[in-house]
Amino acid sequence: IPPHAKLVFQLATATRYKNTPTLLRAMKILLAEMPNVYLLRGGAPFFEDEETLLRELKIENRIVHAGRIPTDENLADYYAAADVFAFPSFYEGFGWPSLEAMACGTPSVVSK
């Protein structure tokens, strides 16, 4: 990721309720307005259909997958490095990640 890029951070689990396809479509729209934006994903890998969507949208070169983030300290660093935390879940129990991001000074964009 280039030093002056804008960074959207997503933390994902291997579940469908995280609504990743919507985030990928939003990234395509965002890239039209902000060509220096990247999506940094922590956690679970993309599902096969999400990988296909990345290729269809032609945004695979703007996605960086960090994999599992080993410690809370590392996670705080990821939150703090991001310009925004994206949390478009269909539903959540409480939604700790958005609060963690805000505690690190990073605004959260969440779904209803």
Side-chain angles (χ1 to χ4, degrees), residues 18-98:
K18 294 298 183 180
N19 198 13
T20 297
T22 296
L23 177 57
L24 298 178
R25 289 183 187 97
M27 282 295 297
K28 176 70 174 184
I29 294 167
L30 189 58
L31 276 163
E33 297 293 322
M34 296 177 63
N36 66 334
V37 69
Y38 285 78
L39 173 65
L40 174 61
R41 178 182 170 109
F46 291 101
F47 287 105
E48 189 175 318
D49 60 308
E50 293 168 344
E51 291 279 352
T52 299
L53 181 59
L54 285 170
R55 289 188 296 278
E56 288 172 0
L57 295 172
K58 298 180 178 15
I59 61 170
E60 63 269 19
N61 65 338
R62 293 311 180 111
I63 310 297
V64 176
H65 186 238
R68 184 180 176 279
I69 300 170
T71 68
D72 290 341
E73 291 79 16
N74 292 134
L75 181 56
D77 290 339
Y78 278 85
Y79 284 131
D83 292 288
V84 66
F85 177 67
F87 204 55
S89 300
F90 290 119
Y91 61 88
E92 286 290 336
F94 182 75
W96 282 110
S98 59

Side-chain angles (χ1 to χ4, degrees), residues 93-105:
F94 182 75
W96 282 110
S98 59
L99 294 176
E100 291 171 340
M102 290 185 285
C104 293

